[in-house]
Amino acid sequence: MKRSKFTEEQIISILREQEAGAKTAELCRKHGMSEATFYAWRAKFGGMDVSDAKRLKVLEEENARLKRLLAEAMLGQAALKDLLSRKW
C-alpha cells in the first residue's frame, strides 16, 4: 500500500482548516490532493486530535502484527494436521 505524503498532524490541520470555513475544493488544490482523498481522511480522522491519530496508527500496526502471527500459527497448525492425517 502506498504511503501518504502527509503526516497525521498535517491531515488533521487540513481538516481543521475546512472546519474553520475554508472550501474543500480550495484546500485540495492548495495541498495537491483529490477531493476523494479529503473525504476519506475526514471519514477516518474526523474529530480526532493529533494524539488520537497517533494512537490509532499504533493500534493499526499492532493489529496487523497480531493478524500475521495468527495466520502463521494457523498455517503451522494446518500443516501439522495434514502431516498427522496421512497414513504411513
Side-chain angles (χ1 to χ4, degrees):
M1 189 170 163
K2 184 178 176 186
R3 281 186 26 170
S4 175
K5 64 180 181 178
F6 296 97
T7 63
E8 288 87 12
E9 294 88 3
Q10 292 171 328
I11 292 170
I12 291 173
S13 69
I14 292 169
L15 292 175
R16 289 211 177 128
E17 283 181 51
Q18 195 266 341
E19 289 173 2
K23 294 189 178 187
T24 305
E26 291 175 11
L27 280 175
C28 293
R29 198 170 24 250
K30 175 182 170 185
H31 295 287
M33 62 186 183
S34 69
E35 287 189 35
T37 301
F38 175 82
Y39 290 118
W41 288 349
R42 193 171 74 178
K44 186 174 182 180
F45 296 106
M48 283 190 185
D49 291 332
V50 174
S51 61
D52 294 338
K54 286 183 179 181
R55 176 135 174 87
L56 175 67
K57 185 175 180 180
V58 169
L59 289 174
E60 286 175 343
E61 289 171 355
E62 182 181 1
N63 191 25
R65 184 181 60 83
L66 291 173
K67 282 183 179 181
R68 277 193 307 274
L69 287 173
L70 178 63
E72 290 172 1
M74 290 177 71
L75 184 63
Q77 184 180 17
L80 285 174
K81 279 185 180 179
D82 184 45
L83 183 66
L84 292 176
S85 68
R86 294 184 184 171
K87 293 185 179 179
W88 295 95

